[in-house]
PDB file of all heavy atoms in Angstrom:
ATOM      1  N   CYS A 106      -4.510  17.786  61.346  1.00  0.00           N
ATOM      2  CA  CYS A 106      -5.337  16.667  60.972  1.00  0.00           C
ATOM      3  C   CYS A 106      -6.544  17.071  60.133  1.00  0.00           C
ATOM      4  O   CYS A 106      -6.974  16.366  59.243  1.00  0.00           O
ATOM      5  CB  CYS A 106      -5.823  15.961  62.239  1.00  0.00           C
ATOM      6  SG  CYS A 106      -4.517  15.075  63.179  1.00  0.00           S
ATOM      7  N   SER A 107      -7.051  18.313  60.399  1.00  0.00           N
ATOM      8  CA  SER A 107      -8.266  18.756  59.671  1.00  0.00           C
ATOM      9  C   SER A 107      -7.931  19.308  58.314  1.00  0.00           C
ATOM     10  O   SER A 107      -8.747  19.315  57.463  1.00  0.00           O
ATOM     11  CB  SER A 107      -8.974  19.835  60.498  1.00  0.00           C
ATOM     12  OG  SER A 107      -8.147  20.907  60.756  1.00  0.00           O
ATOM     13  N   ASN A 108      -6.668  19.694  58.107  1.00  0.00           N
ATOM     14  CA  ASN A 108      -6.214  20.311  56.817  1.00  0.00           C
ATOM     15  C   ASN A 108      -4.890  19.753  56.468  1.00  0.00           C
ATOM     16  O   ASN A 108      -3.869  20.181  57.014  1.00  0.00           O
ATOM     17  CB  ASN A 108      -6.232  21.799  56.903  1.00  0.00           C
ATOM     18  CG  ASN A 108      -5.754  22.425  55.597  1.00  0.00           C
ATOM     19  OD1 ASN A 108      -5.704  21.790  54.580  1.00  0.00           O
ATOM     20  ND2 ASN A 108      -5.476  23.722  55.674  1.00  0.00           N
ATOM     21  N   PRO A 109      -4.808  18.826  55.506  1.00  0.00           N
ATOM     22  CA  PRO A 109      -3.495  18.230  55.131  1.00  0.00           C
ATOM     23  C   PRO A 109      -2.498  19.253  54.578  1.00  0.00           C
ATOM     24  O   PRO A 109      -1.284  18.991  54.678  1.00  0.00           O
ATOM     25  CB  PRO A 109      -3.876  17.207  54.023  1.00  0.00           C
ATOM     26  CG  PRO A 109      -5.325  16.959  54.204  1.00  0.00           C
ATOM     27  CD  PRO A 109      -5.876  18.215  54.761  1.00  0.00           C
ATOM     28  N   ASN A 110      -2.959  20.400  54.114  1.00  0.00           N
ATOM     29  CA  ASN A 110      -2.097  21.389  53.557  1.00  0.00           C
ATOM     30  C   ASN A 110      -1.672  22.470  54.609  1.00  0.00           C
ATOM     31  O   ASN A 110      -1.010  23.440  54.248  1.00  0.00           O
ATOM     32  CB  ASN A 110      -2.758  22.104  52.381  1.00  0.00           C
ATOM     33  CG  ASN A 110      -2.999  21.141  51.224  1.00  0.00           C
ATOM     34  OD1 ASN A 110      -2.191  20.241  50.925  1.00  0.00           O
ATOM     35  ND2 ASN A 110      -4.165  21.260  50.608  1.00  0.00           N
ATOM     36  N   PHE A 111      -2.080  22.233  55.821  1.00  0.00           N
ATOM     37  CA  PHE A 111      -1.815  23.250  56.870  1.00  0.00           C
ATOM     38  C   PHE A 111      -0.329  23.320  57.186  1.00  0.00           C
ATOM     39  O   PHE A 111       0.353  22.272  57.279  1.00  0.00           O
ATOM     40  CB  PHE A 111      -2.621  22.959  58.159  1.00  0.00           C
ATOM     41  CG  PHE A 111      -2.278  23.872  59.322  1.00  0.00           C
ATOM     42  CD1 PHE A 111      -2.776  25.105  59.408  1.00  0.00           C
ATOM     43  CD2 PHE A 111      -1.359  23.409  60.293  1.00  0.00           C
ATOM     44  CE1 PHE A 111      -2.489  25.918  60.492  1.00  0.00           C
ATOM     45  CE2 PHE A 111      -1.025  24.213  61.352  1.00  0.00           C
ATOM     46  CZ  PHE A 111      -1.587  25.503  61.405  1.00  0.00           C
ATOM     47  N   VAL A 112       0.216  24.533  57.371  1.00  0.00           N
ATOM     48  CA  VAL A 112       1.616  24.712  57.818  1.00  0.00           C
ATOM     49  C   VAL A 112       1.573  25.724  58.973  1.00  0.00           C
ATOM     50  O   VAL A 112       0.818  26.681  58.943  1.00  0.00           O
ATOM     51  CB  VAL A 112       2.527  25.183  56.660  1.00  0.00           C
ATOM     52  CG1 VAL A 112       2.746  24.076  55.699  1.00  0.00           C
ATOM     53  CG2 VAL A 112       2.015  26.467  56.050  1.00  0.00           C
ATOM     54  N   PHE A 113       2.429  25.561  59.895  1.00  0.00           N
ATOM     55  CA  PHE A 113       2.532  26.511  61.012  1.00  0.00           C
ATOM     56  C   PHE A 113       3.335  27.733  60.628  1.00  0.00           C
ATOM     57  O   PHE A 113       3.021  28.840  61.084  1.00  0.00           O
ATOM     58  CB  PHE A 113       3.279  25.847  62.225  1.00  0.00           C
ATOM     59  CG  PHE A 113       2.483  24.804  62.888  1.00  0.00           C
ATOM     60  CD1 PHE A 113       2.748  23.443  62.625  1.00  0.00           C
ATOM     61  CD2 PHE A 113       1.517  25.067  63.778  1.00  0.00           C
ATOM     62  CE1 PHE A 113       2.054  22.398  63.259  1.00  0.00           C
ATOM     63  CE2 PHE A 113       0.771  24.084  64.462  1.00  0.00           C
ATOM     64  CZ  PHE A 113       1.066  22.765  64.177  1.00  0.00           C
ATOM     65  N   PHE A 114       4.325  27.571  59.756  1.00  0.00           N
ATOM     66  CA  PHE A 114       5.196  28.660  59.371  1.00  0.00           C
ATOM     67  C   PHE A 114       5.253  28.796  57.869  1.00  0.00           C
ATOM     68  O   PHE A 114       5.423  27.812  57.152  1.00  0.00           O
ATOM     69  CB  PHE A 114       6.610  28.371  59.961  1.00  0.00           C
ATOM     70  CG  PHE A 114       7.645  29.319  59.598  1.00  0.00           C
ATOM     71  CD1 PHE A 114       7.876  30.440  60.367  1.00  0.00           C
ATOM     72  CD2 PHE A 114       8.412  29.207  58.402  1.00  0.00           C
ATOM     73  CE1 PHE A 114       8.835  31.397  60.057  1.00  0.00           C
ATOM     74  CE2 PHE A 114       9.359  30.158  58.051  1.00  0.00           C
ATOM     75  CZ  PHE A 114       9.604  31.251  58.918  1.00  0.00           C
ATOM     76  N   LYS A 115       5.183  30.078  57.414  1.00  0.00           N
ATOM     77  CA  LYS A 115       5.341  30.336  55.999  1.00  0.00           C
ATOM     78  C   LYS A 115       5.761  31.742  55.783  1.00  0.00           C
ATOM     79  O   LYS A 115       5.509  32.605  56.634  1.00  0.00           O
ATOM     80  CB  LYS A 115       4.085  30.015  55.245  1.00  0.00           C
ATOM     81  CG  LYS A 115       2.872  30.895  55.625  1.00  0.00           C
ATOM     82  CD  LYS A 115       1.647  30.520  54.794  1.00  0.00           C
ATOM     83  CE  LYS A 115       0.454  31.400  55.241  1.00  0.00           C
ATOM     84  NZ  LYS A 115      -0.775  31.066  54.423  1.00  0.00           N
ATOM     85  N   PHE A 116       6.383  31.989  54.670  1.00  0.00           N
ATOM     86  CA  PHE A 116       6.707  33.357  54.235  1.00  0.00           C
ATOM     87  C   PHE A 116       5.509  33.963  53.571  1.00  0.00           C
ATOM     88  O   PHE A 116       4.765  33.283  52.850  1.00  0.00           O
ATOM     89  CB  PHE A 116       7.897  33.384  53.308  1.00  0.00           C
ATOM     90  CG  PHE A 116       9.207  33.153  53.988  1.00  0.00           C
ATOM     91  CD1 PHE A 116       9.951  31.960  53.780  1.00  0.00           C
ATOM     92  CD2 PHE A 116       9.759  34.090  54.814  1.00  0.00           C
ATOM     93  CE1 PHE A 116      11.114  31.746  54.395  1.00  0.00           C
ATOM     94  CE2 PHE A 116      10.997  33.887  55.441  1.00  0.00           C
ATOM     95  CZ  PHE A 116      11.639  32.719  55.225  1.00  0.00           C
ATOM     96  N   ASN A 117       5.350  35.266  53.731  1.00  0.00           N
ATOM     97  CA  ASN A 117       4.285  36.004  52.987  1.00  0.00           C
ATOM     98  C   ASN A 117       5.007  36.959  52.008  1.00  0.00           C
ATOM     99  O   ASN A 117       5.882  37.689  52.384  1.00  0.00           O
ATOM    100  CB  ASN A 117       3.403  36.785  53.952  1.00  0.00           C
ATOM    101  CG  ASN A 117       2.617  35.846  54.810  1.00  0.00           C
ATOM    102  OD1 ASN A 117       2.026  34.911  54.408  1.00  0.00           O
ATOM    103  ND2 ASN A 117       2.587  36.187  56.205  1.00  0.00           N
ATOM    104  N   GLU A 118       4.545  36.944  50.808  1.00  0.00           N
ATOM    105  CA  GLU A 118       5.053  37.861  49.759  1.00  0.00           C
ATOM    106  C   GLU A 118       4.614  39.268  50.095  1.00  0.00           C
ATOM    107  O   GLU A 118       3.456  39.525  50.391  1.00  0.00           O
ATOM    108  CB  GLU A 118       4.632  37.482  48.393  1.00  0.00           C
ATOM    109  CG  GLU A 118       5.137  36.095  47.937  1.00  0.00           C
ATOM    110  CD  GLU A 118       6.606  36.149  47.560  1.00  0.00           C
ATOM    111  OE1 GLU A 118       7.122  37.258  47.464  1.00  0.00           O
ATOM    112  OE2 GLU A 118       7.175  35.046  47.326  1.00  0.00           O
ATOM    113  N   SER A 119       5.565  40.210  49.968  1.00  0.00           N
ATOM    114  CA  SER A 119       5.155  41.615  50.067  1.00  0.00           C
ATOM    115  C   SER A 119       4.766  42.168  48.701  1.00  0.00           C
ATOM    116  O   SER A 119       5.575  42.094  47.770  1.00  0.00           O
ATOM    117  CB  SER A 119       6.349  42.373  50.639  1.00  0.00           C
ATOM    118  OG  SER A 119       6.086  43.790  50.610  1.00  0.00           O
ATOM    119  N   ARG A 120       3.579  42.770  48.660  1.00  0.00           N
ATOM    120  CA  ARG A 120       3.121  43.321  47.353  1.00  0.00           C
ATOM    121  C   ARG A 120       3.279  44.850  47.327  1.00  0.00           C
ATOM    122  O   ARG A 120       2.675  45.482  46.461  1.00  0.00           O
ATOM    123  CB  ARG A 120       1.640  42.937  47.206  1.00  0.00           C
ATOM    124  CG  ARG A 120       1.406  41.456  47.143  1.00  0.00           C
ATOM    125  CD  ARG A 120      -0.066  41.114  46.928  1.00  0.00           C
ATOM    126  NE  ARG A 120      -0.281  39.662  46.836  1.00  0.00           N
ATOM    127  CZ  ARG A 120      -1.519  39.091  46.673  1.00  0.00           C
ATOM    128  NH1 ARG A 120      -2.593  39.904  46.600  1.00  0.00           N
ATOM    129  NH2 ARG A 120      -1.632  37.785  46.606  1.00  0.00           N
ATOM    130  N   HIS A 121       4.057  45.372  48.204  1.00  0.00           N
ATOM    131  CA  HIS A 121       4.283  46.794  48.223  1.00  0.00           C
ATOM    132  C   HIS A 121       5.080  47.160  46.970  1.00  0.00           C
ATOM    133  O   HIS A 121       6.079  46.517  46.632  1.00  0.00           O
ATOM    134  CB  HIS A 121       5.070  47.188  49.495  1.00  0.00           C
ATOM    135  CG  HIS A 121       5.034  48.633  49.777  1.00  0.00           C
ATOM    136  ND1 HIS A 121       5.877  49.499  49.091  1.00  0.00           N
ATOM    137  CD2 HIS A 121       4.261  49.418  50.582  1.00  0.00           C
ATOM    138  CE1 HIS A 121       5.640  50.746  49.485  1.00  0.00           C
ATOM    139  NE2 HIS A 121       4.688  50.693  50.415  1.00  0.00           N
ATOM    140  N   PRO A 122       4.727  48.264  46.271  1.00  0.00           N
ATOM    141  CA  PRO A 122       5.457  48.620  45.061  1.00  0.00           C
ATOM    142  C   PRO A 122       6.891  48.933  45.246  1.00  0.00           C
ATOM    143  O   PRO A 122       7.693  48.878  44.356  1.00  0.00           O
ATOM    144  CB  PRO A 122       4.619  49.891  44.577  1.00  0.00           C
ATOM    145  CG  PRO A 122       3.939  50.365  45.780  1.00  0.00           C
ATOM    146  CD  PRO A 122       3.628  49.148  46.576  1.00  0.00           C
TER     147      PRO A 122
END
Side-chain angles (χ1 to χ4, degrees):
C106 292
S107 59
N108 179 13
N110 297 321
F111 174 80
V112 292
F113 290 100
F114 176 90
K115 64 180 179 179
F116 285 111
N117 295 315
E118 296 284 351
S119 174
R120 298 181 180 178
H121 194 280

